[in-house]
Amino acid sequence: MPALALLSAVFVVGVEQTLQWKYGATGIIGLLLLTVGIKAKNPALSSVGAVVLALLVAGPAL
């Protein structure tokens, strides 16, 4: 069980670092809002986080 916790922690840190590198602070805020919303079972907060991440990934319209 500790190995699973360690692997999940490494995965989460890796995702956070990738978002920080590629999308900056806004990506981290979006991921944080999404995660907190899911953990707190708050659909409004998780929706805001998902929209922020979707806007970052979609980028500007051409």
Side-chain angles (χ1 to χ4, degrees), residues 11-31:
F11 177 73
V12 168
V13 169
V15 169
E16 286 181 4
Q17 290 299 318
T18 302
L19 279 173
Q20 179 70 26
W21 171 69
K22 192 167 184 177
Y23 300 112
T26 309
I28 294 297
I29 291 170
L31 182 64

Side-chain angles (χ1 to χ4, degrees), residues 15-62:
V15 169
E16 286 181 4
Q17 290 299 318
T18 302
L19 279 173
Q20 179 70 26
W21 171 69
K22 192 167 184 177
Y23 300 112
T26 309
I28 294 297
I29 291 170
L31 182 64
L32 179 68
L33 287 171
L34 181 64
T35 305
V36 169
I38 290 172
K39 295 284 184 183
K41 296 182 180 175
N42 186 342
L45 198 58
S46 59
S47 296
V48 169
V51 167
V52 168
L53 290 175
L55 289 173
L56 282 173
V57 171
L62 295 177

